[in-house]
Amino acid sequence: MVKLEKLYEATNGGLDIIVEYFPSAKKIVDGDAKKFKMREGDRTPSASLHERNGIWKVTDFGDAGHELSPIDIVMEQENCTFGEAVLKMASRFNVPDEL
């Protein structure tokens, strides 16, 4: 089983996962922007990025306005379950599967 804490440690609190799917989110961390686009068709950036308890989260005000964890983003973008998303990211970021 992959421990979520280990995955977040290996991905800068999940920021690396978010930036993998939405590269423009990095501009917020760098201080170059306040919001970013989650969809190509958006006319204006409507998603914000923030850190809470060491984990990065996204709130997309252009959609339902719910807070999304890095794993939620993977599930949405890859159309997969929570467990599948964790395993995909663990494999991609070389996080060991511990029993």
Side-chain angles (χ1 to χ4, degrees):
M1 174 172 34
V2 175
K3 293 188 178 188
L4 206 50
E5 296 84 21
K6 295 283 186 187
L7 179 59
Y8 285 144
E9 284 174 19
T11 60
N12 192 23
L15 180 62
D16 298 339
I17 295 171
I18 294 167
V19 170
E20 184 168 313
Y21 288 95
F22 305 108
S24 62
K26 183 82 167 97
K27 293 179 182 178
I28 294 174
V29 177
D30 294 339
D32 297 333
K34 292 187 183 211
K35 293 189 178 180
F36 69 96
K37 292 181 182 181
M38 286 185 71
R39 289 165 296 282
E40 292 292 325
D42 287 352
R43 284 186 279 169
T44 59
S46 61
S48 67
L49 180 67
H50 54 278
E51 184 182 14
R52 182 172 298 143
N53 299 321
I55 307 298
W56 288 90
K57 309 274 183 157
V58 171
T59 303
D60 180 14
F61 296 102
D63 193 27
H66 297 293
E67 186 175 80
L68 300 170
S69 74
I71 300 302
D72 292 331
I73 290 170
V74 175
M75 290 168 51
E76 185 177 280
Q77 296 296 308
E78 301 281 344
N79 193 30
C80 62
T81 66
F82 180 85
E84 291 168 335
V86 171
L87 289 175
K88 281 181 189 231
M89 292 301 100
S91 174
R92 198 167 293 163
F93 289 97
N94 299 315
V95 177
D97 189 354
E98 300 172 356
L99 294 175

Coordinates of all heavy atoms in Angstrom, one line a residue:
M1 N 0.8 -1.2 0.0 CA 0.0 0.0 0.0 C 0.9 1.2 0.0 O 1.9 1.3 0.7 CB -0.9 0.0 1.2 CG -1.7 1.3 1.4 SD -3.0 1.4 2.6 CE -2.4 0.4 4.0
V2 N 0.6 2.2 -0.8 CA 1.3 3.5 -0.9 C 0.7 4.4 0.2 O -0.5 4.6 0.2 CB 1.2 4.1 -2.3 CG1 1.8 5.5 -2.3 CG2 1.8 3.2 -3.3
K3 N 1.6 4.9 1.0 CA 1.1 5.9 2.0 C 1.0 7.2 1.4 O 2.0 7.7 0.8 CB 2.1 5.9 3.2 CG 2.0 4.5 4.0 CD 2.8 4.6 5.2 CE 2.7 3.3 6.0 NZ 3.3 3.4 7.3
L4 N -0.1 7.9 1.6 CA -0.4 9.2 1.0 C 0.6 10.2 1.5 O 1.1 11.1 0.7 CB -1.8 9.6 1.3 CG -2.5 10.6 0.4 CD1 -2.4 10.2 -1.0 CD2 -3.9 10.8 0.8
E5 N 1.0 10.1 2.8 CA 2.0 11.0 3.3 C 3.3 10.9 2.6 O 4.0 11.9 2.3 CB 2.3 10.7 4.8 CG 1.1 10.9 5.7 CD 0.1 9.7 5.8 OE1 0.6 8.5 5.4 OE2 -1.0 9.9 6.1
K6 N 3.7 9.7 2.2 CA 5.0 9.5 1.5 C 4.9 10.1 0.1 O 5.8 10.7 -0.5 CB 5.3 8.0 1.4 CG 5.6 7.4 2.7 CD 7.0 7.8 3.1 CE 7.4 7.0 4.4 NZ 8.6 7.4 5.0
L7 N 3.7 9.9 -0.6 CA 3.5 10.5 -1.9 C 3.6 12.0 -1.8 O 4.2 12.6 -2.7 CB 2.1 10.1 -2.4 CG 1.7 10.6 -3.8 CD1 2.7 10.2 -4.9 CD2 0.3 10.2 -4.2
Y8 N 2.9 12.6 -0.8 CA 3.0 14.1 -0.7 C 4.4 14.6 -0.4 O 4.8 15.6 -0.8 CB 2.0 14.6 0.3 CG 0.5 14.6 -0.2 CD1 -0.5 14.2 0.6 CD2 0.3 14.8 -1.6 CE1 -1.8 14.2 0.1 CE2 -1.0 14.8 -2.0 CZ -2.1 14.5 -1.2 OH -3.4 14.5 -1.7
E9 N 5.1 13.8 0.4 CA 6.5 14.2 0.7 C 7.3 14.2 -0.6 O 8.2 15.1 -0.8 CB 7.1 13.2 1.7 CG 6.7 13.4 3.1 CD 7.3 12.3 4.0 OE1 8.3 11.6 3.6 OE2 6.7 12.1 5.1
A10 N 7.1 13.2 -1.4 CA 7.9 13.1 -2.7 C 7.5 14.1 -3.8 O 8.2 14.3 -4.7 CB 7.7 11.7 -3.2
T11 N 6.3 14.7 -3.6 CA 5.8 15.6 -4.6 C 5.6 17.1 -4.1 O 4.8 17.8 -4.6 CB 4.5 15.1 -5.1 OG1 3.5 15.0 -4.0 CG2 4.6 13.8 -5.8
N12 N 6.4 17.4 -3.1 CA 6.4 18.8 -2.6 C 5.0 19.2 -2.1 O 4.4 20.2 -2.5 CB 6.9 19.8 -3.7 CG 7.1 21.2 -3.2 OD1 7.4 21.4 -2.1 ND2 7.1 22.1 -4.2
G13 N 4.4 18.3 -1.3 CA 3.1 18.6 -0.8 C 2.0 18.4 -1.8 O 0.9 19.0 -1.7
G14 N 2.3 17.7 -2.9 CA 1.3 17.5 -4.0 C 1.4 18.6 -5.1 O 0.8 18.5 -6.1
L15 N 2.3 19.6 -4.8 CA 2.4 20.7 -5.8 C 2.9 20.2 -7.2 O 2.4 20.6 -8.2 CB 3.3 21.8 -5.3 CG 3.6 23.0 -6.2 CD1 2.3 23.7 -6.5 CD2 4.6 23.9 -5.6
D16 N 3.8 19.2 -7.1 CA 4.4 18.7 -8.4 C 3.3 18.0 -9.2 O 3.3 18.0 -10.4 CB 5.5 17.7 -8.1 CG 6.7 18.4 -7.4 OD1 6.8 19.7 -7.5 OD2 7.5 17.7 -6.8
I17 N 2.4 17.3 -8.5 CA 1.3 16.7 -9.2 C 0.4 17.7 -9.9 O 0.0 17.6 -11.0 CB 0.4 15.8 -8.2 CG1 1.3 14.7 -7.6 CG2 -0.8 15.3 -8.9 CD1 0.6 13.9 -6.5
I18 N 0.0 18.7 -9.1 CA -0.8 19.8 -9.7 C -0.2 20.4 -10.9 O -0.8 20.6 -11.9 CB -1.2 20.8 -8.6 CG1 -2.0 20.2 -7.5 CG2 -1.9 22.1 -9.2 CD1 -2.1 21.0 -6.2
V19 N 1.1 20.8 -10.8 CA 1.8 21.4 -11.9 C 2.0 20.5 -13.1 O 2.0 21.0 -14.2 CB 3.2 22.0 -11.4 CG1 4.1 22.4 -12.5 CG2 3.0 23.1 -10.4
E20 N 2.0 19.2 -12.8 CA 2.1 18.3 -14.0 C 0.9 18.4 -14.8 O 0.9 18.3 -16.1 CB 2.2 16.9 -13.5 CG 2.4 15.9 -14.6 CD 2.9 14.5 -14.1 OE1 3.8 14.4 -13.3 OE2 2.2 13.5 -14.5
Y21 N -0.3 18.6 -14.2 CA -1.5 18.7 -15.0 C -1.8 20.1 -15.4 O -2.5 20.4 -16.5 CB -2.7 18.1 -14.2 CG -2.7 16.6 -14.1 CD1 -2.1 16.0 -13.0 CD2 -3.1 15.8 -15.1 CE1 -2.0 14.6 -12.9 CE2 -3.0 14.5 -15.1 CZ -2.5 13.9 -14.0 OH -2.4 12.5 -13.9
F22 N -1.4 21.1 -14.6 CA -1.7 22.5 -14.9 C -0.4 23.3 -14.7 O -0.2 23.9 -13.6 CB -2.8 23.0 -14.0 CG -4.0 22.2 -14.0 CD1 -4.4 21.4 -13.0 CD2 -4.8 22.3 -15.2 CE1 -5.6 20.7 -13.1 CE2 -6.0 21.5 -15.3 CZ -6.4 20.7 -14.2
P23 N 0.5 23.3 -15.7 CA 1.8 24.0 -15.5 C 1.7 25.5 -15.2 O 2.5 26.0 -14.5 CB 2.4 23.8 -16.9 CG 1.7 22.6 -17.5 CD 0.3 22.6 -17.0
S24 N 0.6 26.1 -15.6 CA 0.5 27.5 -15.3 C 0.2 27.8 -13.8 O 0.4 28.9 -13.3 CB -0.6 28.2 -16.1 OG -1.9 27.6 -15.8
A25 N -0.1 26.7 -13.0 CA -0.3 26.9 -11.6 C 1.1 27.3 -10.9 O 1.1 27.9 -9.8 CB -0.8 25.6 -10.9
K26 N 2.2 26.9 -11.5 CA 3.5 27.3 -10.9 C 3.7 28.8 -10.8 O 4.4 29.3 -10.0 CB 4.6 26.6 -11.8 CG 6.0 26.9 -11.3 CD 6.3 25.9 -10.3 CE 7.8 25.9 -10.0 NZ 8.2 26.7 -8.8
K27 N 3.0 29.5 -11.7 CA 3.1 31.0 -11.7 C 2.6 31.6 -10.4 O 3.1 32.6 -9.9 CB 2.3 31.6 -12.9 CG 3.0 31.3 -14.2 CD 2.1 31.9 -15.3 CE 2.7 31.6 -16.7 NZ 1.9 32.1 -17.7
I28 N 1.6 30.9 -9.8 CA 1.1 31.4 -8.5 C 2.2 31.2 -7.4 O 2.4 32.1 -6.6 CB -0.2 30.6 -8.1 CG1 -1.3 31.0 -9.1 CG2 -0.6 31.0 -6.7 CD1 -2.6 30.2 -8.9
V29 N 2.8 30.1 -7.4 CA 3.8 29.8 -6.4 C 5.0 30.8 -6.6 O 5.6 31.3 -5.6 CB 4.3 28.3 -6.5 CG1 5.5 28.1 -5.5 CG2 3.2 27.4 -6.2
D30 N 5.3 31.1 -7.8 CA 6.4 32.0 -8.1 C 6.0 33.4 -7.9 O 6.9 34.3 -7.9 CB 6.9 31.8 -9.6 CG 7.5 30.5 -9.8 OD1 7.9 29.8 -8.9 OD2 7.5 30.1 -11.0
G31 N 4.8 33.7 -7.6 CA 4.3 35.1 -7.3 C 4.0 35.9 -8.6 O 3.8 37.1 -8.5
D32 N 4.0 35.2 -9.8 CA 3.7 35.9 -11.0 C 2.2 36.0 -11.4 O 1.9 36.6 -12.4 CB 4.5 35.2 -12.2 CG 6.0 35.3 -12.0 OD1 6.4 36.2 -11.3 OD2 6.7 34.3 -12.5
A33 N 1.4 35.3 -10.6 CA -0.1 35.3 -10.9 C -0.8 35.0 -9.6 O -0.3 34.5 -8.7 CB -0.4 34.3 -12.0
K34 N -2.1 35.3 -9.7 CA -3.0 35.1 -8.5 C -3.9 33.9 -8.8 O -4.4 33.2 -7.9 CB -3.8 36.3 -8.2 CG -3.0 37.4 -7.6 CD -3.8 38.5 -7.1 CE -2.8 39.6 -6.6 NZ -3.3 40.4 -5.6
K35 N -4.2 33.7 -10.1 CA -5.1 32.6 -10.5 C -4.6 32.0 -11.8 O -3.7 32.6 -12.5 CB -6.5 33.1 -10.7 CG -7.2 33.5 -9.4 CD -8.6 33.8 -9.6 CE -9.2 34.1 -8.2 NZ -10.6 34.4 -8.2
F36 N -5.0 30.7 -12.1 CA -4.6 30.1 -13.4 C -5.8 29.4 -14.0 O -6.9 29.3 -13.4 CB -3.5 29.1 -13.1 CG -3.9 27.9 -12.3 CD1 -4.3 26.7 -12.9 CD2 -4.0 27.9 -10.9 CE1 -4.7 25.6 -12.2 CE2 -4.4 26.8 -10.2 CZ -4.7 25.6 -10.8
K37 N -5.7 29.0 -15.3 CA -6.7 28.4 -16.1 C -6.6 26.9 -15.9 O -5.5 26.3 -16.1 CB -6.6 28.8 -17.5 CG -6.9 30.2 -17.8 CD -6.8 30.4 -19.3 CE -7.1 31.9 -19.7 NZ -7.0 32.1 -21.1
M38 N -7.8 26.2 -15.6 CA -7.8 24.8 -15.6 C -8.3 24.2 -16.9 O -8.2 23.0 -17.1 CB -8.7 24.3 -14.4 CG -8.0 24.5 -13.1 SD -9.0 23.8 -11.7 CE -8.8 22.1 -12.0
R39 N -8.9 25.0 -17.7 CA -9.5 24.5 -19.0 C -9.0 25.5 -20.1 O -8.9 26.7 -19.9 CB -11.0 24.5 -18.9 CG -11.6 23.5 -18.0 CD -13.1 23.7 -17.7 NE -13.3 24.9 -16.9 CZ -13.0 25.1 -15.6 NH1 -12.6 24.0 -14.9 NH2 -13.2 26.2 -15.0
E40 N -8.7 24.9 -21.2 CA -8.3 25.6 -22.4 C -9.3 26.7 -22.8 O -8.9 27.8 -23.2 CB -8.0 24.7 -23.6 CG -6.8 23.8 -23.4 CD -5.5 24.5 -23.4 OE1 -5.4 25.5 -24.1 OE2 -4.6 24.1 -22.6
G41 N -10.6 26.4 -22.7 CA -11.6 27.3 -23.2 C -11.9 28.5 -22.2 O -12.7 29.3 -22.6
D42 N -11.3 28.5 -21.1 CA -11.6 29.6 -20.1 C -11.1 30.9 -20.7 O -10.0 31.0 -21.2 CB -10.9 29.3 -18.8 CG -11.6 28.2 -18.0 OD1 -12.7 27.8 -18.4 OD2 -11.0 27.8 -16.9
R43 N -11.9 31.9 -20.6 CA -11.5 33.3 -21.1 C -10.5 33.9 -20.0 O -9.6 34.6 -20.4 CB -12.7 34.2 -21.3 CG -13.4 33.8 -22.6 CD -14.5 34.8 -22.9 NE -15.6 34.4 -22.1 CZ -16.7 35.1 -21.9 NH1 -16.8 36.3 -22.5 NH2 -17.7 34.6 -21.2
T44 N -10.8 33.7 -18.8 CA -10.0 34.3 -17.7 C -9.6 33.2 -16.7 O -10.4 32.2 -16.5 CB -10.7 35.4 -17.0 OG1 -11.9 34.8 -16.4 CG2 -11.1 36.5 -17.9
P45 N -8.5 33.3 -16.1 CA -8.1 32.4 -15.0 C -9.1 32.4 -13.9 O -9.4 33.5 -13.4 CB -6.7 32.8 -14.6 CG -6.2 33.7 -15.7 CD -7.4 34.3 -16.3
S46 N -9.5 31.2 -13.4 CA -10.5 31.2 -12.3 C -10.1 30.2 -11.2 O -10.9 30.0 -10.3 CB -11.8 30.9 -12.9 OG -11.8 29.6 -13.5
A47 N -9.0 29.6 -11.3 CA -8.6 28.6 -10.3 C -7.5 29.2 -9.4 O -6.5 29.9 -9.8 CB -8.1 27.3 -10.9
S48 N -7.6 29.0 -8.1 CA -6.6 29.4 -7.1 C -5.9 28.3 -6.5 O -6.4 27.1 -6.5 CB -7.2 30.3 -6.0 OG -8.1 29.5 -5.2
L49 N -4.7 28.5 -6.0 CA -3.8 27.5 -5.5 C -3.4 27.9 -4.1 O -3.1 29.1 -3.9 CB -2.6 27.3 -6.4 CG -1.5 26.3 -6.0 CD1 -2.1 24.9 -6.1 CD2 -0.3 26.5 -6.9
H50 N -3.5 27.0 -3.1 CA -3.1 27.4 -1.7 C -2.6 26.2 -1.0 O -3.0 25.0 -1.4 CB -4.3 28.1 -1.0 CG -5.6 27.2 -1.0 ND1 -6.4 27.2 -2.1 CD2 -6.1 26.3 -0.2 CE1 -7.4 26.4 -1.9 NE2 -7.2 25.8 -0.7
E51 N -1.9 26.4 0.0 CA -1.3 25.3 0.8 C -2.0 25.3 2.2 O -2.2 26.4 2.8 CB 0.2 25.6 1.0 CG 0.8 24.4 1.8 CD 2.3 24.7 2.0 OE1 2.8 25.8 1.8 OE2 3.0 23.7 2.4
R52 N -2.4 24.1 2.6 CA -3.1 24.0 3.9 C -2.5 22.7 4.5 O -2.6 21.6 4.0 CB -4.6 23.8 3.7 CG -5.4 23.7 5.0 CD -6.8 23.7 4.9 NE -7.2 25.0 4.3 CZ -8.2 25.2 3.4 NH1 -8.9 24.2 3.0 NH2 -8.5 26.4 3.0
N53 N -2.0 22.9 5.7 CA -1.4 21.8 6.5 C -0.3 21.0 5.6 O -0.3 19.8 5.7 CB -2.4 20.8 7.0 CG -3.4 21.5 7.9 OD1 -3.0 22.3 8.7 ND2 -4.7 21.2 7.8
G54 N 0.5 21.7 4.9 CA 1.5 21.1 4.1 C 1.1 20.5 2.8 O 1.9 19.9 2.1
I55 N -0.2 20.6 2.5 CA -0.7 20.0 1.2 C -1.3 21.1 0.3 O -2.1 21.9 0.8 CB -1.8 18.9 1.5 CG1 -1.4 17.9 2.5 CG2 -2.3 18.3 0.2 CD1 -0.2 17.1 2.1
W56 N -0.9 21.1 -0.9 CA -1.4 22.1 -1.9 C -2.8 21.7 -2.4 O -3.0 20.5 -2.6 CB -0.4 22.2 -3.0 CG 0.8 22.9 -2.6 CD1 2.0 22.4 -2.2 CD2 1.0 24.3 -2.6 NE1 2.9 23.4 -1.9 CE2 2.3 24.6 -2.2 CE3 0.2 25.4 -3.0 CZ2 2.8 25.9 -2.0 CZ3 0.8 26.7 -2.9 CH2 2.1 26.9 -2.4
K57 N -3.7 22.6 -2.5 CA -5.0 22.4 -3.0 C -5.4 23.4 -4.0 O -4.8 24.5 -4.1 CB -6.0 22.6 -1.8 CG -5.7 21.8 -0.5 CD -6.3 20.4 -0.6 CE -6.0 19.7 0.7 NZ -6.8 18.7 1.0
V58 N -6.3 23.1 -4.9 CA -6.8 23.9 -5.9 C -8.3 24.2 -5.7 O -9.1 23.3 -5.4 CB -6.6 23.3 -7.3 CG1 -7.3 24.1 -8.4 CG2 -5.2 23.1 -7.6
T59 N -8.7 25.4 -5.9 CA -10.2 25.8 -5.9 C -10.5 26.4 -7.2 O -9.9 27.4 -7.6 CB -10.5 26.8 -4.8 OG1 -10.1 26.2 -3.5 CG2 -12.0 27.0 -4.7
D60 N -11.4 25.7 -8.0 CA -11.7 26.2 -9.3 C -13.1 26.9 -9.2 O -14.1 26.3 -9.2 CB -11.8 24.9 -10.2 CG -12.2 25.3 -11.6 OD1 -12.1 26.5 -12.0 OD2 -12.5 24.4 -12.4
F61 N -13.0 28.2 -9.3 CA -14.2 29.0 -9.2 C -15.0 29.0 -10.5 O -16.1 29.5 -10.6 CB -13.9 30.4 -8.7 CG -13.3 30.5 -7.3 CD1 -11.9 30.6 -7.1 CD2 -14.1 30.3 -6.2 CE1 -11.4 30.6 -5.8 CE2 -13.6 30.3 -4.9 CZ -12.3 30.5 -4.8
G62 N -14.4 28.5 -11.6 CA -15.0 28.4 -12.9 C -15.9 27.2 -13.0 O -16.6 27.0 -13.9
D63 N -15.8 26.3 -12.0 CA -16.6 25.1 -11.9 C -17.5 25.2 -10.7 O -18.2 26.2 -10.4 CB -15.7 23.9 -11.9 CG -16.4 22.6 -12.2 OD1 -17.4 22.6 -12.8 OD2 -15.9 21.6 -11.7
A64 N -17.5 24.2 -9.8 CA -18.3 24.2 -8.7 C -17.7 25.0 -7.5 O -18.4 25.2 -6.5 CB -18.6 22.7 -8.2
G65 N -16.5 25.3 -7.6 CA -15.9 26.1 -6.5 C -15.4 25.2 -5.3 O -15.1 25.7 -4.3
H66 N -15.4 23.9 -5.5 CA -14.9 23.0 -4.5 C -13.4 22.9 -4.5 O -12.7 23.0 -5.5 CB -15.5 21.6 -4.7 CG -17.0 21.5 -4.6 ND1 -17.7 21.8 -3.5 CD2 -17.9 21.2 -5.6 CE1 -19.0 21.7 -3.7 NE2 -19.1 21.3 -5.0
E67 N -12.9 22.7 -3.3 CA -11.4 22.5 -3.1 C -11.1 21.1 -3.6 O -11.7 20.1 -3.3 CB -11.1 22.7 -1.6 CG -9.6 22.6 -1.3 CD -9.4 22.9 0.1 OE1 -9.5 22.0 0.9 OE2 -9.0 24.0 0.5
L68 N -10.0 21.0 -4.4 CA -9.5 19.8 -4.9 C -8.1 19.5 -4.4 O -7.2 20.3 -4.5 CB -9.5 19.8 -6.5 CG -10.8 20.1 -7.2 CD1 -10.5 20.4 -8.7 CD2 -11.7 18.9 -7.0
S69 N -7.9 18.3 -4.0 CA -6.6 17.8 -3.6 C -5.8 17.4 -4.8 O -6.4 17.2 -5.9 CB -6.7 16.6 -2.6 OG -7.1 15.4 -3.3
P70 N -4.5 17.2 -4.8 CA -3.8 16.7 -5.9 C -4.4 15.3 -6.4 O -4.5 15.1 -7.6 CB -2.4 16.5 -5.4 CG -2.3 17.5 -4.3 CD -3.6 17.6 -3.7
I71 N -4.8 14.5 -5.5 CA -5.4 13.2 -5.9 C -6.7 13.4 -6.6 O -7.0 12.7 -7.6 CB -5.4 12.2 -4.7 CG1 -4.1 11.9 -4.1 CG2 -6.1 10.9 -5.1 CD1 -3.1 11.4 -5.1
D72 N -7.5 14.3 -6.1 CA -8.8 14.6 -6.8 C -8.5 15.1 -8.2 O -9.3 14.7 -9.1 CB -9.5 15.8 -6.0 CG -10.0 15.4 -4.7 OD1 -10.3 14.2 -4.4 OD2 -10.1 16.3 -3.8
I73 N -7.5 15.8 -8.4 CA -7.2 16.3 -9.8 C -6.8 15.1 -10.7 O -7.3 15.0 -11.8 CB -6.1 17.4 -9.7 CG1 -6.6 18.6 -9.1 CG2 -5.5 17.6 -11.1 CD1 -5.6 19.7 -8.8
V74 N -6.0 14.2 -10.2 CA -5.6 13.1 -11.0 C -6.9 12.2 -11.3 O -7.0 11.8 -12.4 CB -4.6 12.2 -10.2 CG1 -4.3 10.9 -11.0 CG2 -3.3 13.0 -9.9
M75 N -7.7 12.0 -10.3 CA -8.9 11.3 -10.5 C -9.8 11.9 -11.6 O -10.3 11.2 -12.5 CB -9.8 11.2 -9.2 CG -9.1 10.3 -8.2 SD -9.9 10.4 -6.5 CE -11.6 10.2 -6.9
E76 N -9.9 13.2 -11.6 CA -10.7 13.9 -12.6 C -10.1 13.9 -13.9 O -10.7 13.6 -14.9 CB -10.9 15.4 -12.1 CG -11.8 16.2 -12.9 CD -12.0 17.6 -12.3 OE1 -12.7 17.7 -11.4 OE2 -11.3 18.5 -12.8
Q77 N -8.8 14.1 -14.0 CA -8.1 14.2 -15.3 C -7.9 12.9 -15.9 O -7.9 12.8 -17.2 CB -6.7 14.9 -15.1 CG -6.8 16.4 -14.7 CD -7.5 17.2 -15.7 OE1 -7.1 17.2 -16.9 NE2 -8.5 18.0 -15.3
E78 N -7.7 11.8 -15.1 CA -7.4 10.5 -15.7 C -8.6 9.6 -15.7 O -8.5 8.5 -16.1 CB -6.3 9.8 -14.8 CG -5.0 10.6 -14.8 CD -4.1 10.4 -16.0 OE1 -4.4 9.4 -16.8 OE2 -3.2 11.2 -16.3
N79 N -9.7 10.1 -15.1 CA -11.0 9.3 -15.0 C -10.7 8.0 -14.3 O -10.9 6.9 -14.9 CB -11.6 9.1 -16.4 CG -13.0 8.6 -16.3 OD1 -13.7 8.9 -15.3 ND2 -13.5 7.9 -17.3
C80 N -10.2 8.1 -13.1 CA -9.9 6.9 -12.4 C -10.3 7.0 -10.9 O -10.8 8.0 -10.5 CB -8.4 6.6 -12.5 SG -7.3 7.8 -11.7
T81 N -10.2 5.9 -10.2 CA -10.6 5.8 -8.8 C -9.5 6.4 -7.9 O -8.3 6.6 -8.4 CB -10.8 4.4 -8.3 OG1 -9.6 3.7 -8.4 CG2 -11.9 3.7 -9.2
F82 N -9.7 6.6 -6.6 CA -8.8 7.1 -5.7 C -7.5 6.2 -5.7 O -6.4 6.7 -5.8 CB -9.4 7.3 -4.3 CG -8.4 7.8 -3.3 CD1 -8.3 9.2 -3.1 CD2 -7.7 6.9 -2.5 CE1 -7.4 9.7 -2.2 CE2 -6.8 7.4 -1.5 CZ -6.7 8.8 -1.4
G83 N -7.8 5.0 -5.5 CA -6.7 4.0 -5.4 C -5.8 4.0 -6.7 O -4.6 4.0 -6.6
E84 N -6.5 4.0 -7.8 CA -5.7 4.1 -9.1 C -4.9 5.3 -9.2 O -3.8 5.3 -9.7 CB -6.7 4.0 -10.3 CG -7.4 2.6 -10.4 CD -8.5 2.6 -11.4 OE1 -9.1 3.7 -11.6 OE2 -8.8 1.5 -11.9
A85 N -5.5 6.4 -8.8 CA -4.8 7.7 -8.9 C -3.5 7.7 -8.0 O -2.5 8.2 -8.4 CB -5.7 8.9 -8.5
V86 N -3.7 7.2 -6.8 CA -2.5 7.1 -5.9 C -1.4 6.2 -6.5 O -0.2 6.6 -6.5 CB -2.9 6.6 -4.5 CG1 -1.7 6.3 -3.6 CG2 -3.8 7.6 -3.8
L87 N -1.8 5.1 -7.0 CA -0.8 4.2 -7.6 C -0.1 4.8 -8.8 O 1.1 4.6 -9.0 CB -1.5 2.8 -8.0 CG -1.8 2.0 -6.8 CD1 -2.6 0.7 -7.2 CD2 -0.6 1.6 -5.9
K88 N -0.9 5.5 -9.7 CA -0.3 6.2 -10.8 C 0.7 7.2 -10.4 O 1.8 7.2 -11.0 CB -1.4 6.9 -11.6 CG -2.2 6.0 -12.5 CD -3.2 6.8 -13.3 CE -4.2 5.9 -14.0 NZ -4.4 6.1 -15.4
M89 N 0.4 8.0 -9.4 CA 1.3 9.0 -9.0 C 2.5 8.4 -8.3 O 3.6 8.9 -8.4 CB 0.6 10.1 -8.1 CG -0.4 10.9 -8.9 SD 0.3 11.8 -10.3 CE -0.2 10.8 -11.7
A90 N 2.3 7.4 -7.5 CA 3.4 6.7 -6.8 C 4.4 6.2 -7.8 O 5.6 6.3 -7.6 CB 2.9 5.6 -5.9
S91 N 3.9 5.6 -8.9 CA 4.7 5.1 -9.9 C 5.5 6.2 -10.6 O 6.7 6.1 -10.9 CB 3.9 4.3 -10.9 OG 4.7 3.9 -12.0
R92 N 4.8 7.2 -11.0 CA 5.4 8.4 -11.7 C 6.4 9.1 -10.9 O 7.4 9.6 -11.4 CB 4.3 9.4 -12.1 CG 4.7 10.3 -13.2 CD 3.5 11.0 -13.7 NE 2.6 10.1 -14.4 CZ 1.3 10.4 -14.8 NH1 0.8 11.5 -14.5 NH2 0.6 9.5 -15.4
F93 N 6.2 9.2 -9.5 CA 7.2 9.9 -8.7 C 8.1 9.0 -7.8 O 8.7 9.4 -6.9 CB 6.4 10.9 -7.8 CG 5.9 12.1 -8.6 CD1 4.5 12.0 -9.0 CD2 6.6 13.1 -8.9 CE1 4.0 13.1 -9.7 CE2 6.1 14.2 -9.6 CZ 4.8 14.2 -10.1
N94 N 8.1 7.7 -8.2 CA 9.0 6.7 -7.6 C 8.8 6.6 -6.1 O 9.8 6.6 -5.3 CB 10.5 7.0 -7.9 CG 10.7 7.0 -9.4 OD1 10.3 6.0 -10.1 ND2 11.4 8.0 -9.9
V95 N 7.5 6.5 -5.7 CA 7.2 6.3 -4.3 C 6.9 4.8 -4.1 O 6.1 4.3 -4.8 CB 6.0 7.1 -3.8 CG1 5.6 6.8 -2.4 CG2 6.3 8.6 -4.0
P96 N 7.7 4.1 -3.2 CA 7.5 2.7 -3.0 C 6.2 2.3 -2.5 O 5.6 3.0 -1.7 CB 8.7 2.3 -2.1 CG 9.0 3.5 -1.4 CD 8.7 4.7 -2.3
D97 N 5.7 1.1 -2.9 CA 4.5 0.5 -2.4 C 4.9 -0.3 -1.2 O 5.6 -1.3 -1.3 CB 4.0 -0.4 -3.5 CG 2.6 -0.9 -3.2 OD1 2.1 -0.7 -2.1 OD2 2.0 -1.6 -4.1
E98 N 4.5 0.1 0.0 CA 4.9 -0.5 1.2 C 3.7 -1.4 1.8 O 2.6 -0.9 1.8 CB 5.3 0.5 2.3 CG 6.4 1.4 1.8 CD 6.7 2.5 2.8 OE1 5.9 2.7 3.8 OE2 7.7 3.2 2.6
L99 N 4.0 -2.6 2.2 CA 3.0 -3.4 2.8 C 3.0 -3.2 4.2 O 4.0 -3.0 4.9 CB 3.2 -4.9 2.4 CG 3.1 -5.2 0.9 CD1 3.5 -6.7 0.7 CD2 1.7 -5.0 0.5

